[in-house]
Amino acid sequence: MSGKKKELLSSAMERTSEWISSQEIPSDVTVHVGETSFSLHKFPLVTKCGFIKKLACESSNDLNITVIKILDFPGGAEGFELAIKFCYDISFEINTENIAMLRCAAEYLEMTEEHSVENLVETIEVYLNEVVLKSLSKSVKVLRKSQDLLPIAERVRLVDRCIDSIAYGVCQESQRNEDIVDWWGEDLAVLRIDMFRRVLVAMIARGFKRYSLSPVLMLYAQKALRGLDIFEKEAKKMEAEQEHEKMLILETIVSLLPRERNSVSISFLSILLRAAIYLETTVACRLDLEKRMGLQLRQAVIDDLLIPSYSFNGDNTMFDVDTVQRILMNYLEFEVEGNSADFASDIGELMESYLAEIASDKNINLAKFIGFAECIPKQSRITDDGMYRAIDIYLKTHPNISEMEKNKVCSLMDFKKLSREVYAHAAQNDRLPEILSDSDSPAAETAEETLPPLELSSYKSELSKLNRENQYLKLELIKVKMKFKELEKEKAFEVMSGSDCSSSVSTASVVKPRLPRKSFISSVSQKLGKLINPFGVKQGQTKPPKSRRHSIS
């Protein structure tokens, strides 16, 4: 409470005490509410407050008991003063700012019809039903006040009624005004995450389109997750309790995201994923965001994929390559399940641009670089110019790798698919091993072109099928590996903390990632020898560099 508000409250209480003291009958009981004292009369209190009446009856045998102490009064001294004014018939205004506090105070003091006609409970209920619950804006305001008065606000169903009123009001208004979110979203964004979630669930239950919740979720995430250094690699600067609170907020927001594809932008999903990695949310939460990004990968730009690796995870690479690789594999899985062999060329260009970015990282090892490059579908690459650029940057950044390692890197591209200009550059590039020949020229006839038409078609069909199966298997292996790491981490935490650690995990967010389908494993079991397993390296992390390499040098 601000100093000015305390001063006004103290002045109001002083006036109330002066009014009571001015009566002919001297006060005979002192009530302490927190650090504030009230000199009062038993009679007006006993006639309307069942709570005070019970205390007076219990102390009737001891005439010296004239002091009552209340430590946990809802609304504190301010709420108690308003209830006392009602007992003394002192006029005051009932409004949306104090009605939640008054209703809880009346419940605590048992100011019901049993003790007095038209008592405070009945008076407040009339105002609630006739004024507050018939107005969307007023219901939102009272709910905001109620969240600080738990659990008594729950007991009198103040929270439930406000939530139901909001849900009903939003659904009615949304039929007449599609931009309703713009003016009530700001109010909901200041609610606690549990209240926020209950309101949205109630709205959906009443028929509100989940797809339309995206702006509200984005607004809430923007406010609630403010202050996270998700673009920095340094150690976390927030307290453990604050970090845990933000983690629960993020997991709840992700669970409320609409399931429809393109319901939120991929840039927003990227920000949520960075925050999820930074806050170390559950595996299920991160995999959910990765899958969503995979389904919308064609909308992405390079900045959406430059997810930094964080130093507290023990990796000194610049970017979280493993996460982006899983996003790519989710995209490929979606394309495979859709029986599409025509992977978009813009995906190939995007992934080659990302490969060029990570190639400039001196700390990225050869296995991780090659592993990511092999996941880029050849069908999505019209030329291999982008692959050459990434390889050239990698060789320039890692001048000390062996000839054998250079050959492995260069085997990622097909020199026959280079444009003439890039091929000419490669022919004079001293960083490349001596592997170019006249047969590699783009103008040379390829081996595939000499095959009979039927054999060529069969060969391409089998190769395409193997590539799709290979990419799907890689995705499943990554998911299993990530889940295994999470289980190891939880096991280590249980050893240190015992059974207490289990209570801090939100049960709603603990979901096991789905296992590879049995039918798929059966279909490729005979071909495992042909498949490549690029995984066996640790995850990485870092903030994006200020300058990027986009040219061949």
Side-chain angles (χ1 to χ4, degrees):
M1 186 184 296
S2 64
K4 185 176 181 180
K5 189 173 182 180
K6 284 183 177 179
E7 183 178 346
L8 292 174
L9 178 60
S10 177
S11 177
M13 292 179 181
E14 184 176 347
R15 290 196 301 272
T16 302
S17 297
E18 288 176 355
W19 186 91
I20 295 172
S21 299
S22 67
Q23 306 304 304
E24 296 180 358
I25 304 175
S27 62
D28 55 3
V29 63
T30 301
V31 180
H32 298 278
V33 180
E35 298 179 356
T36 306
S37 300
F38 295 86
S39 297
L40 305 170
H41 304 90
K42 288 183 181 180
F43 179 74
L45 300 183
V46 169
T47 56
K48 292 187 177 182
C49 301
F51 176 79
I52 302 295
K53 185 176 182 179
K54 289 178 182 178
L55 293 179
C57 292
E58 292 173 358
S59 61
S60 60
N61 296 327
D62 190 348
L63 300 178
N64 295 324
I65 296 178
T66 58
V67 176
I68 299 174
K69 293 184 178 180
I70 306 176
L71 302 177
D72 57 347
F73 193 84
E78 183 180 3
F80 184 78
E81 185 201 10
L82 292 177
I84 295 306
K85 282 185 176 182
F86 184 86
C87 294
Y88 281 89
D89 293 325
I90 302 176
S91 298
F92 64 93
E93 181 185 4
I94 298 177
N95 52 46
T96 55
E97 293 296 320
N98 61 25
I99 190 169
M101 180 169 52
L102 274 169
R103 180 62 183 89
C104 294
E107 185 71 16
Y108 189 99
L109 293 174
E110 300 177 28
M111 300 176 70
T112 62
E113 297 297 292
E114 179 183 351
H115 303 286
S116 176
V117 178
E118 296 184 357
N119 211 340
L120 185 56
V121 169
E122 178 65 20
T123 303
I124 296 300
E125 285 295 328
V126 171
Y127 186 85
L128 277 172
N129 294 324
E130 297 298 326
V131 180
V132 174
L133 299 180
K134 290 184 178 181
S135 166
L136 176 57
S137 59
K138 287 182 172 64
S139 296
V140 173
K141 290 179 181 178
V142 173
L143 180 60
R144 288 174 56 186
K145 295 293 183 180
S146 299
Q147 64 186 2
D148 297 325
L149 298 166
L150 301 178
I152 194 169
E154 290 277 17
R155 191 164 71 239
V156 299
R157 296 193 65 251
L158 189 57
V159 172
D160 286 343
R161 287 183 287 172
C162 285
I163 289 175
D164 189 63
S165 172
I166 294 169
Y168 176 79
V170 170
C171 291
Q172 292 295 314
E173 290 291 337
S174 63
Q175 296 176 5
R176 299 187 292 267
N177 179 13
E178 294 182 355
D179 297 327
I180 186 174
V181 174
D182 295 337
W183 63 268
W184 62 263
E186 286 282 349
D187 291 332
L188 291 188
V190 299
L191 294 175
R192 280 183 357 195
I193 187 62
D194 54 338
M195 294 291 181
F196 178 76
R197 180 184 180 279
R198 287 172 63 178
V199 170
L200 266 57
V201 169
M203 288 165 52
I204 295 171
R206 279 192 171 270
F208 192 81
K209 294 181 180 179
R210 190 163 186 166
Y211 187 91
S212 302
L213 294 178
S214 301
V216 185
L217 291 170
M218 293 176 67
L219 179 62
Y220 194 94
Q222 180 183 3
K223 289 191 173 184
L225 302 177
R226 186 177 297 159
L228 291 182
D229 296 326
I230 59 175
F231 295 97
E232 301 293 337
K233 282 180 61 68
E234 285 74 17
K236 300 174 185 177
K237 300 176 182 179
M238 67 179 68
E239 298 293 332
E241 183 178 353
Q242 183 185 10
E243 179 184 345
H244 180 71
E245 179 184 354
K246 290 186 179 295
M247 182 188 72
L248 292 179
I249 290 173
L250 179 56
E251 290 176 355
T252 303
I253 290 174
V254 172
S255 70
L256 290 169
L257 288 175
R259 303 310 306 181
E260 294 87 350
R261 193 179 181 187
N262 302 323
S263 57
V264 294
S265 69
I266 194 170
S267 297
F268 177 61
L269 292 174
S270 177
I271 292 174
L272 291 183
L273 181 55
R274 293 169 195 246
I277 297 171
Y278 182 85
L279 294 171
E280 300 180 88
T281 61
T282 62
V283 173
C285 178
R286 281 173 276 173
L287 289 179
D288 187 11
L289 290 169
E290 290 171 7
K291 184 173 183 179
R292 290 174 183 272
M293 288 189 66
L295 296 179
Q296 299 178 213
L297 191 57
R298 296 189 64 179
Q299 304 170 9
V301 296
I302 187 64
D303 285 337
D304 296 327
L305 302 179
L306 295 180
I307 302 172
S309 60
Y310 299 106
S311 58
F312 53 80
N313 283 339
D315 201 333
N316 57 354
T317 55
M318 295 172 63
F319 301 108
D320 192 341
V321 179
D322 292 336
T323 293
V324 177
Q325 186 167 329
R326 286 192 297 273
I327 292 172
L328 173 59
M329 300 305 283
N330 274 295
Y331 165 78
L332 298 176
E333 179 187 4
F334 174 75
E335 293 293 337
V336 170
E337 290 181 349
N339 296 319
S340 172
D342 299 325
F343 299 106
S345 60
D346 52 351
I347 291 295
E349 294 174 2
L350 177 65
M351 290 301 130
E352 286 175 339
S353 297
Y354 180 78
L355 193 64
E357 293 287 350
I358 66 175
S360 62
D361 183 4
K362 294 181 179 180
N363 294 319
I364 189 170
N365 58 48
L366 182 66
K368 181 168 289 191
F369 180 82
I370 293 177
F372 185 86
E374 288 178 337
C375 290
I376 304 175
K378 292 183 179 180
Q379 302 97 311
S380 68
R381 289 148 47 189
I382 299 175
T383 72
D384 269 13
D385 291 0
M387 183 65 70
Y388 171 75
R389 181 175 73 249
I391 291 173
D392 185 43
I393 294 173
Y394 185 86
L395 294 177
K396 185 177 182 179
T397 308
H398 303 80
N400 298 324
I401 64 175
S402 66
E403 285 296 315
M404 182 179 295
E405 291 173 326
K406 287 183 179 180
N407 289 331
K408 287 183 179 180
V409 174
C410 290
S411 67
L412 295 170
M413 62 179 166
D414 184 354
F415 287 97
K416 300 182 186 69
K417 293 180 66 174
L418 297 178
S419 65
R420 292 184 179 277
E421 180 183 355
V422 174
Y423 182 85
H425 184 281
Q428 302 175 23
N429 193 339
D430 295 336
R431 290 187 286 271
L432 298 180
E434 299 295 332
I435 59 175
L436 293 179
S437 63
D438 292 339
S439 62
D440 292 322
S441 171
E445 185 180 45
T446 66
E448 290 183 358
E449 290 172 340
T450 63
L451 292 173
L454 291 177
E455 293 183 18
L456 178 60
S457 176
S458 177
Y459 167 76
K460 287 185 175 180
S461 177
E462 181 66 16
L463 180 60
S464 176
K465 182 179 179 181
L466 286 173
N467 281 336
R468 291 197 301 270
E469 292 173 347
N470 184 16
Q471 289 154 0
Y472 185 82
L473 183 59
K474 288 176 182 178
L475 173 65
E476 298 303 321
L477 288 174
I478 291 176
K479 289 181 178 180
V480 172
K481 181 180 177 182
M482 189 176 181
K483 180 60 180 177
F484 180 73
K485 286 184 177 180
E486 182 74 10
L487 291 174
E488 282 186 331
K489 181 179 176 181
E490 292 178 357
K491 185 64 176 177
F493 186 76
E494 288 175 1
V495 172
M496 293 185 294
S497 305
S499 60
D500 291 340
C501 65
S502 62
S503 62
S504 64
V505 180
S506 175
T507 57
S509 60
V510 179
V511 180
K512 295 182 180 178
R514 62 186 178 91
L515 297 175
R517 293 173 292 185
K518 185 175 181 182
S519 59
F520 170 75
I521 295 300
S522 300
S523 67
V524 299
S525 60
Q526 297 177 354
K527 303 172 184 177
L528 286 176
K530 300 179 183 179
L531 304 181
I532 301 172
N533 178 14
F535 315 113
V537 292
K538 298 180 179 178
Q539 286 185 325
Q541 310 148 308
T542 280
K543 72 176 181 180
K546 293 183 180 178
S547 61
R548 300 179 186 157
R549 296 289 308 274
H550 293 290
S551 61
I552 302 172
S553 58

